Amino acid sequence: MRRPVIAGNWKMYKTLAETRAFFQAFLPLVAGTKHCDIVVAPPYTALTAAAESTRGSGVAIAAQDLHWAVEGAFTGEISARMIAEAGCRGVVVGHSERRQYFGETDESVLRKTRAALEAGLQPIVCVGETLVEREGNLAESVLKRQFEDGLAALTPPEFSRILLAYEPVWAIGTGRTATPEQAAEAHGHLRAMAAARFGPEQASSLRILYGGSVKPENIRGLMAQAEIDGALVGGASLDPKSFAAIVNY
Ligand code: PEP
C-alpha cells in the first residue's frame, strides 16, 4: 500500500509575511490529517520561515530547484546542502517551467537528483509531455526518454528514495486537467519503465504524483485511480483553504 503524498509548489509566490500567514491558517486545517504526507515547496527566501512555521506539524518543506554542485562559483545558485540546512526534507527537480524557461535537461535532472539524494533530501522528479507531443502521439516516448536519460542511471537504493511527478505540460496552470484515466495511463507507463529497470518490487513501491490544474473539485476523481499516489499542486496550493481541501480529499 503506497502512502499518498500531496505536495504544493508555490512557484515565485509569497513573501516571508505571506508564508507565515499561510501556515497560521493552514496548519489547523490539517492538524488531524493522517492519511497522507504533506509537502510545501516555497521560494528559496521563504524556506527557513516555512520550516520554522511547520516545525512539529508533520508538514515537510521542499525547495523548488537546486544546483548539483556542493559549492562553487555559480552565482545565483543554491546547493542541496544549503537547502537541507534551511530545514527542507525534499526538493522538486526538473519541473517543466525549469525545462521550458531555464534550459533544464534530462542530464541536469539526473545530476540534480543525485546531488539531492547525497544531501539526504527526497527529490520530487517531474516528467511530462507538451501538448504538441501528446497530439503527435509522442507522450509515451517522451516519458520514456525523460525516464531513461533522467533516472535510469540511479542505483536501486537511490531510486527507492525518489518521488516521481507526472506533470503534462499542457495541464500546468492552464485550468485543463488530464482526466483521471489519462493520468492513470501515463502513471502505468512510468511504473512499467520503473519495473523494467529496477524490478517489480521497486516499481510497486514507487509513488507517482499527478500534477496539472489539480483543484479541490477534481482531486477525488484523480485519487480514486489506483495508479495515482498523490498530487503536485501549483496554483491551488497558494490558498490555505483550497490546499487543505485538496489534502483532505
Ligand atoms: C505545478 O506547478 O507543478 C502545477 C501543477 O501547477 P498548477 O497546479 O497550477 O497547474
Side-chain angles (χ1 to χ4, degrees):
M1 187 68 186
R2 297 183 292 265
R3 184 170 163 76
V5 188
I6 305 292
N9 169 24
W10 284 359
K11 314 192 187 204
M12 199 171 72
Y13 291 97
K14 293 201 191 291
T15 62
L16 287 181
E18 289 164 351
T19 296
R20 293 191 184 102
F22 174 92
F23 286 113
Q24 210 165 22
F26 177 70
L27 292 181
L29 303 176
V30 298
T33 303
K34 301 260 183 303
H35 66 278
C36 67
D37 292 342
I38 307 170
V39 181
V40 177
Y44 287 136
T45 47
L47 291 179
T48 308
E52 278 164 10
S53 301
T54 54
R55 190 166 295 140
S57 70
V59 174
I61 302 303
Q64 298 173 17
D65 187 27
L66 76 160
H67 193 277
W68 56 77
V70 172
E71 59 184 6
F74 300 108
T75 302
E77 294 292 330
I78 307 278
S79 75
R81 196 173 60 165
M82 294 165 187
I83 288 165
E85 189 191 34
C88 291
R89 282 189 252 161
V91 59
V92 178
V93 181
H95 191 279
S96 66
E97 286 154 14
R98 302 291 324 165
R99 293 178 189 258
Q100 198 176 343
Y101 305 128
F102 301 100
E104 192 82 79
T105 62
D106 296 329
E107 191 206 351
S108 61
V109 168
L110 178 61
R111 295 176 86 173
K112 290 180 176 194
T113 302
R114 282 195 169 126
L117 290 165
E118 258 166 46
L121 295 169
Q122 178 167 55
I124 305 174
V125 182
C126 303
V127 293
E129 80 285 358
T130 63
L131 186 59
V132 173
E133 289 162 343
R134 174 157 283 261
E135 287 176 344
N137 262 337
L138 294 170
E140 195 180 339
S141 63
V142 168
L143 293 181
K144 194 163 166 53
R145 191 208 72 222
Q146 291 174 336
F147 184 88
E148 308 250 300
D149 296 352
L151 289 168
L154 295 178
T155 64
E158 285 172 338
F159 188 74
S160 71
R161 292 171 49 210
I162 73 159
L163 294 173
L164 196 54
Y166 168 61
E167 297 214 310
V169 179
W170 48 272
I172 297 181
T174 58
R176 189 175 159 183
T177 327
T179 63
E181 293 73 22
Q182 280 173 322
E185 186 187 25
H187 287 212
H189 293 321
L190 287 165
R191 205 176 297 288
M193 292 170 209
R197 166 65 185 88
F198 296 101
E201 222 167 279
Q202 284 230 13
S204 75
S205 55
L206 170 68
R207 292 184 289 175
I208 309 178
L209 319 188
Y210 166 76
S213 298
V214 173
K215 306 217 162 8
E217 301 76 46
N218 58 28
I219 183 70
R220 288 190 83 161
L222 290 161
M223 293 305 291
Q225 294 285 334
E227 267 298 347
I228 300 181
D229 305 312
L232 181 53
V233 186
S237 71
L238 293 169
D239 174 73
K241 281 200 192 124
S242 127
F243 191 48
I246 293 172
V247 166
N248 293 322
Y249 62 89

